[in-house]
Amino acid sequence: GQQVMQIPQYQHVQEGEDFTTYCNSSTTLSNIQWYKQRPGGHPVFLIQLVKSGEVKKQKRLTFQFGEAKKNSSLHITATQTTDVGTYFCAGPTYNAGNNRKLIWGLGTSLAVNP
Amino acid sequence: GAVVSQHPSWVICKSGTSVKIECRSLDFQATTMFWYRQFPKQSLMLMATSNEGSKATYEQGVEKDKFLINHASLTLSTLTVTSAHPEDSSFYICSASERKSWEQYFGPGTRLTVT
């Protein structure tokens, strides 16, 4: 079945270092989404990428969607302690009732040492 | 915008009792709502998807008679854990999507402990 794989599972960085998490899908995606979950919190929608090769930036965060629309990355420049959390990518699919749902990566947990 | 509330935020119940969790979209119409379960340091496990006014679609391996889902209106969905057992203890999170949108907006979650 359709799978979304995400690496690395964990990453520890010193504050100020860069961080990247990668997401790969077993199938071509119509879009890919990224979410952030702070420790003890709930996932929060960050962004959706739709176009092949698309690059979007949100301050220090850069999101890319691969040309083949099967992979994506999230890069954080100069990490801060506020970036701590788990970053999930998710790809669209349909359930047995033909309703929309997301396939989730396992997430990358980011720890930042001050 | 896109705020989802969930109640209660935590609940402790005795084994064999039932617990109802409410999920509300506060500022948009949620044509689709999702119920997830999340274990510590793990990803989100989708339990079921529900559309307003229709029966929920459960993921493989999720017991529909144990986890009753009702999506009675465009702003409210409920999950009832029936005859709860300690292994049902978990973090349950709902999310909601607007019509024709893939983006999901999550509630703050409910931590269920069954003793």
Side-chain angles (χ1 to χ4, degrees):
Chain A
Q2 184 180 1
Q3 291 184 351
V4 172
M5 292 148 286
Q6 200 173 343
I7 57 169
Q9 190 173 358
Y10 302 100
Q11 183 89 56
H12 284 81
V13 299
Q14 285 294 128
E15 190 171 21
E17 292 182 341
D18 292 355
F19 159 77
T20 305
T21 173
Y22 300 91
C23 185
N24 289 287
S25 169
S26 59
T27 60
T28 302
L29 302 171
S30 60
N31 68 76
I32 194 158
Q33 300 177 32
W34 287 90
Y35 293 76
K36 176 183 178 181
Q37 184 175 22
R38 293 181 185 273
H42 59 278
V44 174
F45 173 78
L46 293 178
I47 206 162
Q48 177 175 278
L49 304 172
V50 178
K51 298 177 182 177
S52 168
E54 188 170 15
V55 178
K56 285 189 175 180
K57 291 190 176 184
Q58 291 180 350
K59 297 183 180 178
R60 294 177 294 103
L61 276 62
T62 302
F63 303 85
Q64 292 188 330
F65 199 10
E67 294 289 342
K69 302 183 74 173
K70 294 182 71 173
N71 57 69
S72 181
S73 65
L74 158 58
H75 178 82
I76 302 178
T77 303
T79 55
Q80 299 175 359
T81 55
T82 53
D83 296 324
V84 167
T86 301
Y87 293 86
F88 292 99
C89 62
T93 188
Y94 294 88
N95 66 15
N98 205 34
N99 297 309
R100 297 177 174 213
K101 71 174 188 180
L102 295 175
I103 297 287
W104 294 82
L106 293 181
T108 296
S109 292
L110 172 64
V112 179
N113 297 326
Chain B
V3 179
V4 176
S5 70
Q6 195 171 333
H7 179 81
S9 55
W10 60 271
V11 57
I12 301 172
C13 70
K14 292 188 175 181
S15 189
T17 61
S18 295
V19 174
K20 180 184 280 189
I21 302 170
E22 290 189 352
C23 179
R24 294 180 185 272
S25 58
L26 300 184
D27 54 1
F28 66 101
Q29 292 188 332
T31 51
T32 307
M33 285 186 165
F34 306 85
W35 287 95
Y36 292 88
R37 187 171 177 178
Q38 188 176 38
F39 293 101
K41 299 187 185 298
Q42 293 192 23
S43 188
L44 300 160
M45 186 190 83
L46 179 65
M47 299 174 66
T49 304
S50 71
N51 290 311
E52 182 260 342
S54 61
K55 289 184 178 180
T57 300
Y58 290 80
E59 294 297 301
Q60 193 171 6
V62 177
E63 300 175 60
K64 59 181 67 177
D65 293 332
K66 180 168 184 62
F67 299 100
L68 301 178
I69 291 170
N70 183 275
H71 192 163
S73 75
L74 284 172
T75 60
L76 173 64
S77 177
T78 60
L79 166 67
T80 301
V81 182
T82 63
S83 187
H85 289 117
E87 56 265 32
D88 298 325
S89 298
S90 191
F91 189 52
Y92 292 87
I93 322 178
C94 71
S95 69
S97 284
E98 295 181 273
R99 181 178 170 79
K100 294 185 179 180
S101 173
W102 287 101
E103 300 160 28
Q104 293 186 18
Y105 297 95
F106 285 80
T110 297
R111 191 158 300 283
L112 169 65
T113 302
V114 184
T115 60

